[in-house]
Amino acid sequence: MKRVLHISTYFPPHIGGVEQVVSDIVDSLKGKYEQMVLVFNHEKSDSEETIDGVTIFRCKPNFKVSSQAIALGYGKKLKSIIKNFNPDIIHFHFPNPYAAHFLLQCKTNAKIIVHYHSDIIKQKILKKFFVGQTKRLLNRADKIVATSPQYIDHSEFLYKYKDKCVLVPNCINENRLAMASEDIEESRRLKEKYRDKIVCLFIGRHVPYKGLIYLIKAAQYIDDNIVIRIAGNGPLTDELKKQADGSDNVEFIGKVDQLNSNFDSCDIFTFPSITKNEAFGIALAEAMWFSKPAVTYYIEGSGVNYVGIKDETCIECENRNVQQLADAINKLASDADLRKTLGQNALKRVEELFTFAHFKENVNNLYEQVINENCD
């Protein structure tokens, strides 16, 4: 049985899009490959555990620099794993420059897959120091995974490595999105509570690239029968609440445990992300699974506009254009037939491209390619 080492920043139960992708890959490969996972810990200690036969090493973080965890024992641990586990394939999740530094120093005959989730965008100055590192990593890679065609064409680096790129879109988790009895009851309660309203839903972290400031600005231009429910929290929550102060059609509902009932009971999904930090849009795909039409911004090079298709599953607006966003919400709110058509198209698109079954097939095909190429 071939051995695979996954290298990422974090791993569930730590919550995040990349973490979920890594978990989905591990699940896709179970039974066919022996697997290990190396990540940073969200606790201030080293830890090791085995879950369903997969060993997970979590390195103690000593501090962070611009969101990058720094673990002083990381290089030694990676070297030890490569020596003792001797992986046939290393699946590296980018960006993770601290881990990349040590990986590039290791002597290994393993095939390397670089899973390219996003360019380094936020750290505009620091990222300049990693240009050379990124090029060395992509040169070393046997295959590069991109989550959308847009990212291959518009990434700062990927367009130069098209011959190595393989498209593996992210996926939803159908089991997690299944409606339990309590979800059905909560959805009924929400529909009754807002029976005279058109409900717009936002779910996500309250960080700048999610574009929430534009959604809240748009609220002043939407019709009185529309309410925007904002789930989640983050560093911008307090500022956003102040921005929305006095608005009758914006509600902050905080972290919600029953996401499925909120998806099911809303009429429109609002996804106002504005930069390529939003490289794909799992929450958008999840809303589409519930047959919800969406409003989005156009983001050049982002997979958001690959997940949702303009005028087919969503209404797409000019980036950061507040009035267009409000007009799109008003248009959907006033046209039940349009909401139904876009919603039906949305579900069909997810069923055709973004289910776990499709993801598992794509991942296993990728690994077969990597193993079989140059095997002589």
Side-chain angles (χ1 to χ4, degrees):
M1 188 177 285
K2 297 288 186 180
R3 295 176 296 277
V4 179
L5 172 62
H6 305 273
I7 300 177
S8 185
T9 47
Y10 298 99
F11 190 78
H14 192 281
I15 298 172
V18 174
E19 290 83 345
Q20 187 58 56
V21 172
V22 180
S23 179
D24 288 338
I25 293 170
V26 170
D27 288 342
S28 297
L29 299 176
K30 281 179 181 176
K32 293 185 176 181
Y33 299 86
E34 185 179 351
Q35 302 182 78
M36 282 191 179
V37 179
L38 176 63
V39 292
F40 300 102
N41 205 347
H42 55 281
E43 304 290 344
K44 294 183 178 180
S45 62
D46 290 333
S47 72
E48 178 181 339
E49 60 183 326
T50 300
I51 302 175
D52 294 334
V54 179
T55 301
I56 302 160
F57 296 98
R58 304 181 198 263
C59 287
K60 170 188 174 182
N62 296 94
F63 53 92
K64 284 187 176 183
V65 176
S66 296
S67 302
Q68 170 70 70
I70 305 296
L72 299 182
Y74 189 91
K76 184 177 180 181
K77 187 64 179 178
L78 176 59
K79 185 177 180 181
S80 173
I81 290 174
I82 288 178
K83 178 181 178 181
N84 296 312
F85 183 58
N86 190 24
D88 298 287
I89 298 174
I90 295 174
H91 198 137
F92 183 89
H93 292 266
F94 180 95
N96 189 356
Y98 186 72
H101 168 76
F102 292 105
L103 176 61
L104 288 168
Q105 289 184 337
C106 288
K107 293 181 180 179
T108 175
N109 293 321
K111 301 288 185 72
I112 293 181
I113 298 171
V114 173
H115 206 119
Y116 203 96
H117 293 275
S118 172
D119 291 329
I120 299 175
I121 297 170
K122 182 180 177 182
Q123 297 80 10
K124 296 184 183 298
I125 297 176
L126 275 177
K127 74 175 184 179
K128 295 178 181 179
F129 293 95
F130 300 112
V131 169
Q133 181 194 81
T134 300
K135 289 179 179 178
R136 291 194 301 274
L137 182 65
L138 296 179
N139 285 332
R140 175 66 179 83
D142 293 274
K143 291 293 181 183
I144 301 167
V145 173
T147 58
S148 72
Q150 284 82 346
Y151 232 92
I152 296 175
D153 292 334
H154 296 280
S155 162
E156 185 177 352
F157 294 98
L158 290 193
Y159 73 95
K160 300 176 183 177
Y161 296 89
K162 284 187 177 183
D163 59 323
K164 290 186 178 184
C165 287
V166 177
L167 178 63
V168 181
N170 297 337
C171 68
I172 64 166
N173 184 322
E174 298 100 308
N175 291 332
R176 187 172 67 83
L177 296 178
M179 291 286 285
S181 58
E182 58 267 26
D183 295 316
I184 295 172
E185 182 58 36
E186 176 64 6
S187 179
R188 287 174 182 162
R189 188 191 70 80
L190 289 170
K191 287 176 181 178
E192 175 61 23
K193 178 180 178 181
Y194 296 101
R195 63 184 181 276
D196 298 324
K197 298 284 187 179
I198 295 294
V199 176
C200 296
L201 178 67
F202 169 90
I203 293 176
R205 292 184 63 226
H206 300 177
V207 291
Y209 76 84
K210 291 290 185 180
L212 276 168
I213 61 169
Y214 302 100
L215 179 60
I216 293 173
K217 286 180 180 179
Q220 64 185 307
Y221 303 112
I222 63 176
D223 297 337
D224 292 339
N225 67 324
I226 303 171
V227 60
I228 299 173
R229 303 181 76 236
I230 297 176
N233 50 43
L236 292 183
T237 301
D238 290 342
E239 179 182 334
L240 293 169
K241 286 181 177 179
K242 289 179 182 177
Q243 181 187 344
D245 188 34
S247 175
D248 295 328
N249 51 13
V250 177
E251 298 180 4
F252 288 84
I253 60 177
K255 185 178 182 232
V256 291
D257 294 324
Q258 291 177 286
L259 285 177
N260 295 348
S261 59
N262 281 275
F263 278 128
D264 187 64
S265 61
C266 78
D267 299 290
I268 301 165
F269 191 68
T270 53
F271 200 75
S273 295
I274 55 174
T275 75
K276 281 200 302 179
N277 289 86
E278 193 70 79
F280 190 78
I282 288 291
L284 175 59
E286 290 175 335
M288 291 165 63
W289 176 253
F290 283 88
S291 300
K292 302 304 174 181
V295 292
T296 66
Y297 278 134
Y298 174 72
I299 310 168
E300 185 176 19
S302 169
V304 168
N305 310 114
Y306 166 70
V307 176
I309 302 299
K310 179 181 179 182
D311 299 331
E312 182 179 321
T313 70
C314 64
I315 297 180
E316 185 181 285
C317 307
E318 180 185 23
N319 200 294
R320 294 174 171 85
N321 190 315
V322 171
Q323 189 62 59
Q324 275 193 23
L325 190 65
D327 291 344
I329 292 171
N330 286 331
K331 182 176 181 179
L332 282 172
S334 64
D335 193 336
D337 289 338
L338 180 60
R339 294 200 303 273
K340 182 178 180 180
T341 298
L342 295 185
Q344 289 174 339
N345 293 340
L347 173 59
K348 183 179 178 181
R349 183 161 179 78
V350 174
E351 289 175 332
E352 291 176 347
L353 292 173
F354 307 132
T355 64
F356 178 74
H358 286 99
F359 181 83
K360 183 176 180 178
E361 181 180 6
N362 289 334
V363 168
N364 278 280
N365 287 342
L366 165 68
Y367 272 67
E368 289 176 13
Q369 288 181 45
V370 171
I371 290 170
N372 293 329
E373 282 188 3
N374 304 317
C375 59
D376 54 335

